[in-house]
Amino acid sequence: MRIVLVSNSTMQPLAGLLKEHDVVVGGVADLLGWLIDPTAPPSDPLTEMVVVCPDGDSLLAPLGSVDLLDELGDRVEAFARDHPSVRVVVSTLLAPWRSAASFADAAEPRGRFASRASWDTTLARLAAELGNVSVLDVRGLAEEHGRATLVNDSYWYLGRIRWSTVGFQVLADELRRIVAATRSAARKVLVLDLDNTLWGGVIGEDGMSGIALGEEGSGKCFRDFQRQVLALKETGVLLAVVSKNDPAIVAEVLEEHPGMVLRTGDFVEVDAGWTNKADRIAEMASRLDLGLDSFVFVDDNPVERDLVRSTLPDVAVPDFPTRIDQLPSWFVDTVVTDWFPRSVVLDEDRAKTLQYQARGERRRAEAADMESFLASLDIRLSFRVDDASLVPRLAQLTQKTNQFNLTTERMTPAEIQQLISSPDHSVVACDYADRFGDEGTIGLAIIDLARGELQNLLLSCRVLGRGVEDALLAEVAVLVAARGHRRITGRFVPTSRNSVASSFLDRAGFRLLDNNGALVGEKEIL
Amino acid sequence: MSVDVNAILELMVAELDLDEGEIEPTSTMDEVENWDSLGHLRVCMALEAAHGVKIPMEKVPELVSVPAIVAFLENT
């Protein structure tokens, strides 16, 4: 990114620390002039960011030019309005907080205290009015690191270098965060664990009254943390829960615990269960139609963090603080700053959670419709193994079934009879009935028990799409396993009419071994 | 303190954006093109950070050769 630094102190060392950017640095006399000069680097069409960093120490010095600040404010505003595609970053003023007027300073309309306050007000107004103005809060950095660490008086007198080696590094890091925020590098979803993350203790063991969550003691750390998380949500970040817990207990805490700041409606999804968290995050990503690189996962458990880190490298997994009193500040300083930086919050951002909740509910409704439809059918399946009385019907099924038929291998009654009699083969017949009536024998599977091979599986098209094939395969797996096999192989031979069965092996969890005319796969069974 | 001249040269190569060989243990400020007044201040700041010393303000303009820098650090 082309960045132009404008200051009345020497900023060249900062350029050396931002080598990944193309940084142009003005001289100490260019602070005011560059902003109104159409031929100066800030107005160059290639410039993407202008950083205005006035030296507070010299502007607020006794007999220093406070008027200059008013003029600077006007010029920054005019420049930002004229260059809407340039990100204009303006710094607060860093200066010794004592002045020669000592405690009388605060009463002076042009004193240090009032000047600084008025500059801050100007910056807040510009940031609110103009979407392309950001604030570089160097005073905030000084509160964090200590002013004495960040500045270096001797080099100011030697060559107008105000910042120390450490100071320039701190400035460079902060500018990188601002660049990240302008590039919308922010992630979209914060996935949270529950036990010992959103509250202290384990809800399944400690119960509603036993977990630490409230206004007292360590419970307040978690409550303050939740407040920060809620504030992040208000900027448009989606919140989700992935927890190893009983869903009913989790729902009870989210709805009823008096200490909770975050409630069910604040989350785009609440996923409580016992399966692998990495799988659940991946599934959530596909439900929400978001890439895994949109996710940040916060969990106190290092084992869960490692699992997600190694399985889903695109998901950001920050380390968790070792002391819970650090939880609220760690969250803002590290998680928010590193993964959810942003320059502006729009009204659309605030409505994000509702939007995505609707998206997730629609997906679930589609799935639930299918499930409730199937449930309403009251399907009853029965399986008969090597039943010789069914030979004519089974042969007929191999002859007539064209669509859901893995191999379309046609068989005569004699051939079926032979398989039924063979100790190394089995023929499984599947009968179907539901509340609308009895369909009789509608499917079969032929198994080579000696080799653990599914030779064919077919199903009448009358019962397709109701999960019957899965139930039939499960029956087959039981028989194969009973002969001591740990895996089963199966194959699909494509014809012009059996494409409906083409994805069956894949959906059923078979691993593709060969694809040479026929798809050959194998599946673990236990 | 004992001083590693090569480490100082390495620091100066980085701060002054030099190619290797552009500065030697005997070099002086006027022999090295990038060693200008701002470059000099950057070198001094970097030396302070690397060696944990404070170079007195009035000393800074005197450290205008590699031997002068080495001598200052050795006597600190």
Side-chain angles (χ1 to χ4, degrees):
Chain A
M1 182 183 269
R2 163 73 74 85
I3 302 175
V4 177
L5 294 172
V6 191
S7 178
N8 52 335
S9 77
T10 303
M11 283 291 180
Q12 271 81 359
L14 188 54
L17 295 174
L18 293 167
K19 286 228 160 69
E20 71 273 30
H21 297 292
D22 172 18
V23 183
V24 178
V25 188
V28 294
D30 295 323
L31 178 64
L32 286 164
W34 266 21
L35 290 175
I36 53 165
D37 180 355
T39 66
S43 295
D44 186 298
L46 291 175
T47 297
E48 292 162 87
M49 179 181 279
V50 172
V51 180
V52 181
C53 190
D55 181 61
D57 225 339
S58 47
L59 292 176
L60 300 179
L63 311 176
S65 186
V66 170
D67 294 338
L68 205 71
L69 273 180
D70 297 337
E71 202 174 342
L72 182 62
D74 291 345
R75 292 194 181 184
V76 167
E77 179 167 2
F79 180 85
R81 286 191 193 280
D82 290 348
H83 301 83
S85 63
V86 175
R87 171 68 36 187
V88 181
V89 180
V90 196
S91 81
T92 55
L93 299 171
L94 184 59
W97 65 289
R98 301 271 194 208
S99 88
S102 67
F103 297 99
D105 172 85
E108 290 291 322
R110 305 297 277 170
R112 171 171 306 228
F113 187 78
S115 300
R116 226 151 45 174
S118 110
W119 182 248
D120 288 351
T121 307
T122 301
L123 297 195
R125 180 179 63 79
L126 293 181
E129 286 178 11
L130 301 169
N132 60 329
V133 173
S134 297
V135 173
L136 167 60
D137 190 3
V138 294
R139 211 158 69 240
L141 294 174
E143 280 168 13
E144 177 73 16
H145 300 274
R147 180 179 176 279
T149 321
L150 300 186
V151 303
N152 193 334
D153 290 328
S154 66
Y155 292 95
W156 169 258
Y157 290 108
L158 285 163
R160 298 290 175 270
I161 302 176
R162 177 67 72 191
W163 299 83
S164 67
T165 308
V166 173
F168 280 118
Q169 272 156 6
V170 167
L171 274 181
D173 289 344
E174 189 69 0
L175 278 174
R176 281 195 190 95
R177 293 185 194 108
I178 292 176
V179 169
T182 62
R183 283 182 170 163
S184 319
R187 302 225 164 192
K188 297 191 175 75
V189 189
L190 174 64
V191 178
L192 295 152
D193 170 51
L194 294 178
D195 290 329
N196 286 314
T197 297
L198 281 193
W199 55 69
V202 176
I203 186 68
E205 291 168 16
D206 303 323
M208 283 281 269
S209 56
I211 56 171
L213 181 61
E215 287 299 328
E216 303 299 328
S218 67
K220 187 161 172 54
C221 301
F222 293 100
R223 196 165 153 85
D224 285 349
F225 171 52
Q226 290 199 16
R227 287 193 176 103
Q228 300 284 13
V229 172
L230 185 64
L232 179 68
K233 180 215 154 202
E234 298 303 321
T235 71
V237 171
L238 305 172
L239 307 179
V241 165
V242 170
S243 161
K244 285 194 172 159
N245 253 316
D246 184 322
I249 297 177
V250 167
E252 192 188 358
V253 183
L254 291 185
E255 298 291 339
E256 286 164 27
H257 196 288
M260 286 293 289
V261 175
L262 298 164
R263 296 293 180 186
T264 309
D266 294 317
F267 297 99
V268 68
E269 287 202 13
V270 175
D271 183 349
W274 299 101
T275 53
N276 176 327
K277 287 193 179 183
D279 292 348
R280 286 152 68 188
I281 292 171
E283 285 159 19
M284 184 181 291
S286 77
R287 275 196 300 273
L288 295 174
D289 254 340
L290 291 168
L292 284 165
D293 57 1
S294 295
F295 283 71
V296 177
F297 175 59
V298 167
D299 194 316
D300 67 294
N301 185 334
V303 178
E304 300 288 3
R305 293 201 302 271
D306 275 354
L307 172 79
V308 172
R309 251 185 224 131
S310 59
T311 320
L312 308 172
D314 288 341
V315 174
V317 186
D319 282 329
F320 199 76
T322 48
R323 288 179 10 218
I324 52 157
D325 54 301
Q326 297 169 326
L327 194 51
S329 61
W330 162 80
F331 179 68
V332 178
D333 291 344
T334 304
V335 180
V336 174
T337 316
D338 289 352
W339 303 111
F340 299 103
R342 63 171 62 233
S343 304
V344 282
V345 178
L346 306 173
D347 289 343
E348 291 87 331
D349 294 325
R350 298 182 222 273
K352 276 271 157 52
T353 299
L354 289 172
Q355 252 173 41
Y356 277 84
Q357 277 170 344
R359 190 184 285 190
E361 271 161 27
R362 224 173 285 128
R363 290 276 160 91
R364 274 191 294 276
E366 284 164 13
D369 279 355
M370 195 60 210
E371 275 169 31
S372 60
F373 166 69
L374 289 178
S376 73
L377 281 177
D378 187 24
I379 296 170
R380 296 176 302 273
L381 299 178
S382 56
F383 302 98
R384 284 181 279 176
V385 182
D386 293 334
D387 186 338
S389 71
L390 295 171
V391 168
R393 171 62 182 159
L394 295 175
Q396 185 192 41
L397 278 170
T398 70
Q399 300 291 335
K400 290 177 70 175
T401 307
N402 294 313
Q403 296 184 57
F404 201 97
N405 190 332
L406 288 183
T407 63
T408 329
E409 198 180 345
R410 312 299 184 187
M411 290 189 167
T412 62
E415 284 167 329
I416 294 284
Q417 181 61 57
Q418 217 176 344
L419 290 169
I420 286 176
S421 310
S422 157
D424 286 335
H425 293 80
S426 269
V427 180
V428 184
C430 175
D431 286 28
Y432 174 99
D434 62 25
R435 68 187 167 94
F436 298 108
D438 193 341
E439 296 281 0
T441 304
I442 43 70
L444 67 86
I446 298 167
I447 321 163
D448 185 335
L449 291 168
R451 298 159 71 181
E453 207 174 74
L454 176 64
Q455 291 193 326
N456 197 11
L457 185 146
L458 61 85
L459 212 59
S460 163
C461 57
R462 296 201 300 274
V463 297
L464 285 185
R466 298 180 195 173
V468 179
E469 60 272 43
D470 299 320
L472 178 54
L473 180 66
E475 194 69 18
V476 168
V478 169
L479 292 170
V480 173
R483 281 289 282 257
H485 295 288
R486 308 205 56 177
R487 52 181 67 87
I488 180 169
T489 56
R491 63 199 183 103
F492 169 76
V493 183
T495 69
S496 58
R497 295 174 67 186
N498 71 350
S499 62
V500 65
S502 63
S503 63
F504 173 65
L505 293 178
D506 186 36
R507 271 192 294 118
F510 281 79
R511 197 171 61 253
L512 188 64
L513 295 176
D514 193 3
N515 183 5
N516 188 11
L519 291 175
V520 180
E522 86 174 359
K523 174 185 164 72
E524 311 286 327
I525 49 174
L526 290 169
Chain B
M1 84 172 63
S2 81
V3 176
D4 177 357
V5 182
N6 286 325
I8 289 174
L9 294 180
E10 232 170 79
L11 177 150
M12 295 182 76
V13 164
E15 286 302 318
L16 300 175
D17 206 9
L18 302 172
D19 291 327
E20 259 179 78
E22 276 190 84
I23 191 160
E24 295 172 355
T26 56
S27 297
T28 62
M29 193 169 163
D30 48 10
E31 292 167 3
V32 180
E33 201 183 320
N34 286 5
W35 195 350
D36 55 14
S37 55
L38 176 60
H40 184 60
L41 296 182
R42 296 180 61 175
V43 167
C44 290
M45 286 174 77
L47 287 170
E48 288 185 356
H51 292 265
V53 297
K54 176 72 198 158
I55 305 173
M57 207 177 133
E58 61 280 8
K59 264 280 176 202
V60 170
E62 294 172 15
L63 304 183
V64 290
S65 69
V66 178
I69 290 170
V70 172
F72 170 80
L73 290 175
E74 276 174 346
N75 295 322
T76 305

